[in-house]
Amino acid sequence: MTITIRHLVSALLVLSFGLLASLVPGGLIETRSFSHIDPLILGIFNTFLTSLVIVSLLIVYFIFKDLKWAFIVSGLCGISYFIVYALDLGTLFPVSPDPMPQALFVIEVLGMIVSLPLLFISVRGAMNSNKSSNDKVIASQPYSKTFVYFAFFLVVVGVGIITFATKSAMGS
């Protein structure tokens, strides 16, 4: 497999991470109110979105190890990004009585566009991944201490983001 696919999938994951992360409710771009939606549903939705951006960032580590399952996960991230943006742009969920800000619309369209090559290139990466590197990683430690600390840090930050985003979306 060529380095190009690993770099391209990684770049698309990081770009997708950045696009969705910029849309945290209560931030500069996502200013709509969702106070009419049950807080539990909003919390679950924000947990899903936060998990998606965290997984997108963490999976890059395993993409560079050329692991087939990592490309499959990145493809699933691509599908998830597409569905999230399609639901919002199609006014299916979450629906707000407030109009969608122009910047939000642009970022969601860009995110939807980026999700498609992420999906297709991830599938290609999975088909071409190096099977010998899969065996090596299973036999040895699959991740470093730094990776574990970074993942833990992202989870802690993620919990804070979920709390902030849910309270902001509720208008609290």
Side-chain angles (χ1 to χ4, degrees), residues 23-170:
L23 301 180
V24 174
L28 297 174
I29 298 169
E30 177 55 278
T31 57
R32 299 175 294 175
S33 172
F34 297 100
S35 58
H36 61 289
I37 297 176
D38 184 292
L40 179 63
I41 292 172
L42 273 179
I44 291 169
F45 185 63
N46 286 330
T47 300
F48 171 75
L49 295 177
T50 304
S51 298
L52 178 58
V53 297
I54 289 172
V55 168
S56 296
L57 200 55
L58 292 177
I59 202 70
V60 170
Y61 176 85
F62 297 102
I63 292 291
F64 277 108
K65 289 188 173 281
D66 197 22
L67 300 175
K68 182 175 185 169
W69 67 264
F71 286 102
I72 292 168
V73 170
S74 68
L76 292 173
C77 287
I79 292 169
S80 297
Y81 281 114
F82 185 87
I83 290 170
V84 164
Y85 293 128
L87 287 174
D88 197 21
L89 290 169
T91 63
L92 300 172
F93 183 84
V95 179
S96 172
D98 304 327
M100 180 180 282
Q102 188 66 31
L104 175 62
F105 176 80
V106 169
I107 289 175
E108 287 194 356
V109 168
L110 287 172
M112 198 171 196
I113 291 168
V114 169
S115 71
L116 294 173
L118 174 59
L119 169 61
F120 295 118
I121 296 169
S122 294
V123 168
R124 185 165 179 186
M127 292 188 311
N128 297 330
S129 65
N130 185 350
K131 292 192 189 317
S132 65
S133 78
N134 286 335
D135 296 337
K136 282 190 286 188
V137 170
I138 290 170
S140 68
Q141 185 179 11
Y143 43 81
S144 68
K145 273 187 175 180
T146 304
F147 175 82
V148 173
Y149 293 139
F150 183 64
F152 179 75
F153 170 75
L154 286 179
V155 169
V156 170
V157 169
V159 170
I161 291 170
I162 292 164
T163 304
F164 174 79
T166 303
K167 283 185 175 187
S168 294
M170 293 302 301

